[in-house]
Amino acid sequence: MSNLVYPYDHSSQSSGSSSNTSHTFSKEETKNKKAEENVQTECFDELKEKDIKKPEKEDKNKNVYEDFRKYVNKEEEEEEDSDSLGSELQEMITGSPAAEKTNKLKSKLKELENVTLNIAVTGMTGAGKSSFVNALRGIGNDDGRAAPTGTTETTMKPNMYPHPFMPNVKIWDLPGIGSPKFRAKKYLKDVKFNTYDFFLIVTSERFRENDIELATAIQKSNKLFYFIRTKIDNDVRAESHKKNFDEQTLLNNIREDCKSNLLKVGVPKIFLVSSFQLEKYDFQKLINSLEDELPENKRFALIQSLPVYSLEALAKKKKYFKKMIWLNAFAAGVGAMPPLPGLSVACDYGIMKNFFQQVSTSYGLSNAALEVLLERVNKPVEQLKSVMTSRFKDGVTDKIVLNMLSKPVIAVAKTLGTIMALLPGGALLAGGAAIISVHHLLNKGLNEMTEDTKNVLAASQLA
C-alpha cells in the first residue's frame, strides 16, 4: 500500500473563527443569505434554521458527527449505511483542539493502511497449494511473480509471496505435510507458527491423518484454520459426462465425504474451491467466514487485497471503503486550512487523492492490474479500458482531485461554512463544511470507480 501523501500540512490552522458578538444583517445581506440557503446542490438538503440553532448547555462538540450526517445527500442516505467507525470517530473529535483531532485522525488512517495480514497455505504435496496462493494474489501460474507449481513438492521451506499491489498482505506457501514422519508440533515450530493470522489447509482429495493432526495442533493454539478442498473444477469435469449427472449433488457428496473423516476436529469448516474459478463454488463462503472471525482491521486488509472476481466481491470491497469515507473526510476537513487558490473549500486534498488511489488499486483498475486481468480473460487492455467512463479511467492525479474541489457545488459548502462561522464554536462547524464536502466527493468518486469496475467485469465476461 502506498504511503499517505500530504502536499501541505496546516492542520493547526482553522478556516473559520468563533465569536460571541451578535451580528445584524442588512436587508441586502439577509436577502442574499436566504437565496444561498435555498440553493439545491448534490451535497446538501435545504439548510434550515433548526440545523444551525445555538446549542445551549450541552457540549457543542459532543454530537458533531451526527449533526454532519444530516447534510449527506439523499441518494447516499438510500444506500447501505456503513458508518461502523462512528463511535470511534466521535471519541477522536470530541473535546480536543483541532490540530490534535487532525493528528489523531491521520494517525488512525496510517494505522489502518499499514495493517499487515499474513495468510498461511499448507497441506499435502500436490494438493495445489501454490496455484491457490497465486489465485489469492490475483495472478496466474505463468506470471513472473507467481509461486512455482509442479507435480512434485516445490516448497521445501516457508516462502512469502507479497500481494502484487498491496505489499502489506503476505501469503505464505508452506512446506507440504505428506511425509510419513510428519509431526504437527515440530512442523508448526519450524514454520514459525505465530507469524500467521490464519491457516488454510489444502487438499485435492480426502483429508488425511496429517491434515487432521495439523488442524488439531492449530486448534489447541487458538489460531483460525480452514479446510480447502481444491481442484473442484477437475472433479466436475470428470463426472460431467455421466448419465444423470447433477453438479450440486456431486459437490454435496464431496463436502460430506470430507466432513466424515474430519470428525476429530469437531465441526470442520470445509470450502470447495477452484483456483482458476474463484467466482464459483465455495470461495465466497470462505471470505464470508473470514469476515465473521477476523478482527476488523485484518478483515479490511483481506477484502482490499482480493481480486475482483465477481459482482459480490466488488460489493464487499465497496462496503468496506464506504466505512472509510467518514474517517477520511474528517481527517481532511477537521482543522481545515485556508484553501489553495481556485479551490472553494479548505481541506487536505492529499488525503482524498490517497483514498481514490486505494480504491483504484483494490478494484483492479490500474494498468498493471488490468494487464493481470487480461491474462485471465484473454482480452486486450484497450478493450477493458474502453468501457471505463469515469474521470479516473486514466488514473488518479492531483489535477483530477483539485478539479473536483473547484466545482461550483463546493462553493455552497463554503457558504455554509461562512454562516456557521458566525455562531459560537464556529471554527469547528466551519470545518464541518469541508468534512461534508469531502465526504460527498469521496462517495461520488467511489461510486464512479464502482461503475467502471462493473463495466470491466462485464467486458471480461466475469459478471
Side-chain angles (χ1 to χ4, degrees):
M1 300 181 187
S2 58
N3 293 325
L4 286 171
V5 179
Y6 304 113
Y8 51 86
D9 188 0
H10 304 288
S11 57
S12 62
Q13 299 183 40
S14 170
S15 64
S17 60
S18 60
S19 173
N20 293 322
T21 306
S22 62
H23 292 259
T24 304
F25 292 102
S26 67
K27 289 183 179 180
E28 187 61 30
E29 287 173 327
T30 301
K31 180 180 179 181
N32 291 338
K33 176 173 176 288
K34 288 182 178 179
E36 289 170 341
E37 289 176 356
N38 289 326
V39 174
Q40 297 297 316
T41 73
E42 296 178 66
C43 279
F44 311 114
D45 290 329
E46 188 173 354
L47 183 62
K48 298 179 181 178
E49 185 175 347
K50 65 179 181 180
D51 292 327
I52 59 170
K53 68 180 181 181
K54 180 177 178 180
E56 297 179 355
K57 294 182 180 180
E58 62 179 346
D59 181 354
K60 61 178 174 291
N61 294 334
K62 185 175 181 181
N63 296 317
V64 67
Y65 178 76
E66 291 302 323
D67 289 342
F68 292 155
R69 286 288 291 128
K70 296 177 182 177
Y71 300 107
V72 182
N73 63 27
K74 290 181 180 179
E75 178 183 351
E76 180 186 332
E77 288 177 345
E78 289 172 358
E79 296 185 20
E80 179 183 358
D81 188 358
S82 302
D83 292 334
S84 68
L85 292 170
S87 59
E88 188 173 0
L89 271 173
Q90 285 182 334
E91 291 177 8
M92 285 191 281
I93 66 172
T94 300
S96 56
E100 185 177 337
K101 293 183 181 75
T102 304
N103 289 335
K104 284 181 180 179
L105 292 163
K106 288 182 178 180
S107 294
K108 183 62 178 178
L109 278 177
K110 287 184 179 181
E111 176 189 329
L112 291 173
E113 188 176 351
N114 293 323
V115 166
T116 58
L117 180 68
N118 288 284
I119 304 171
V121 181
T122 187
M124 299 291 290
T125 300
K129 298 192 311 294
S130 296
S131 291
F132 190 54
V133 166
N134 295 331
L136 290 173
R137 299 166 66 218
I139 61 177
N141 289 339
D142 54 354
D143 190 289
R145 299 160 292 182
T149 59
T151 55
T152 59
E153 178 59 54
T154 58
T155 306
M156 305 307 294
K157 59 184 179 63
N159 287 313
M160 187 275 287
Y161 295 95
H163 189 279
F165 311 117
M166 303 177 70
N168 284 2
V169 176
K170 303 170 184 179
I171 304 169
W172 296 78
D173 192 356
L174 302 188
I177 59 175
S179 168
K181 297 181 179 180
F182 173 78
R183 294 293 179 269
K185 289 183 179 179
K186 183 179 185 304
Y187 178 87
L188 291 176
K189 181 179 179 180
D190 289 344
V191 300
K192 299 181 179 178
F193 170 82
N194 288 325
T195 301
Y196 316 109
D197 292 294
F198 60 90
F199 287 76
L200 302 175
I201 303 173
V202 175
T203 189
S204 58
E205 301 171 351
R206 293 192 80 195
F207 289 96
R208 307 292 177 87
E209 194 62 36
N210 286 353
D211 300 310
I212 297 168
E213 185 181 343
L214 177 60
T216 302
I218 296 172
Q219 193 174 46
K220 289 179 179 178
S221 301
N222 296 317
K223 284 274 189 175
L224 296 173
F225 67 93
Y226 305 87
F227 291 104
I228 309 299
R229 172 61 161 81
T230 58
K231 302 184 181 181
I232 292 299
D233 50 333
N234 290 348
D235 293 285
V236 171
R237 193 179 306 113
E239 296 290 320
S240 60
H241 67 282
K242 293 183 178 180
K243 187 178 180 180
N244 299 323
F245 167 74
D246 181 77
E247 182 175 305
Q248 196 56 52
T249 299
L250 173 64
L251 297 178
N252 289 339
N253 289 341
I254 294 173
R255 189 177 288 106
E256 290 305 313
D257 182 59
C258 290
K259 286 181 180 179
S260 68
N261 71 323
L262 291 174
L263 297 178
K264 291 182 181 179
V265 291
V267 182
K269 296 180 179 178
I270 302 168
F271 302 93
L272 314 184
V273 304
S274 164
S275 296
F276 305 102
Q277 296 175 299
L278 295 183
E279 70 278 7
K280 299 186 70 175
Y281 315 117
D282 292 345
F283 185 75
Q284 190 59 58
K285 292 180 181 178
L286 169 64
I287 301 307
N288 293 345
S289 292
L290 287 166
E291 275 193 285
D292 291 338
E293 299 187 15
L294 285 173
E296 184 167 15
N297 56 350
K298 301 282 187 177
R299 196 183 311 161
F300 184 45
L302 173 70
I303 299 299
Q304 271 190 288
S305 70
L306 292 173
V308 182
Y309 49 85
S310 67
L311 288 175
E312 186 174 357
L314 175 61
K316 283 191 177 295
K317 285 179 180 281
K318 183 180 180 183
K319 171 186 172 183
Y320 278 91
F321 278 114
K322 281 183 71 66
K323 289 182 179 182
M324 296 297 294
I325 284 180
W326 272 116
L327 180 56
N328 280 269
F330 270 79
V334 167
M337 70 293 292
L340 294 176
L343 300 191
S344 299
V345 69
C347 71
D348 189 334
Y349 78 88
I351 292 177
M352 293 179 60
K353 180 183 175 184
N354 188 73
F355 175 82
F356 290 139
Q357 286 174 328
Q358 285 183 314
V359 175
S360 179
T361 297
S362 181
Y363 278 13
L365 297 177
S366 67
N367 285 333
L370 290 174
E371 290 282 352
V372 170
L373 178 60
L374 78 86
E375 293 179 10
R376 289 172 55 200
V377 300
N378 197 28
K379 303 277 186 182
V381 170
E382 294 75 19
Q383 181 177 342
L384 298 179
K385 287 186 70 71
S386 67
V387 300
M388 296 166 60
T389 58
S390 82
R391 71 191 83 206
F392 303 101
K393 62 183 179 182
D394 295 316
V396 179
T397 65
D398 287 329
K399 183 178 180 180
I400 290 173
V401 178
L402 293 172
N403 182 260
M404 293 177 77
L405 285 165
S406 65
K407 294 297 182 182
V409 64
I410 303 304
V412 180
K414 184 177 179 181
T415 300
L416 176 61
T418 301
I419 296 170
M420 286 180 167
L422 301 177
L423 304 171
L428 177 61
L429 293 174
I435 293 167
I436 299 162
S437 300
V438 172
H439 182 285
H440 167 73
L441 292 176
L442 293 180
N443 195 69
K444 188 176 182 66
L446 177 63
N447 288 339
E448 288 183 15
M449 282 190 271
T450 300
E451 289 305 309
D452 274 351
T453 310
K454 287 180 181 178
N455 292 337
V456 169
L457 284 172
S460 307
Q461 297 180 331
L462 292 176

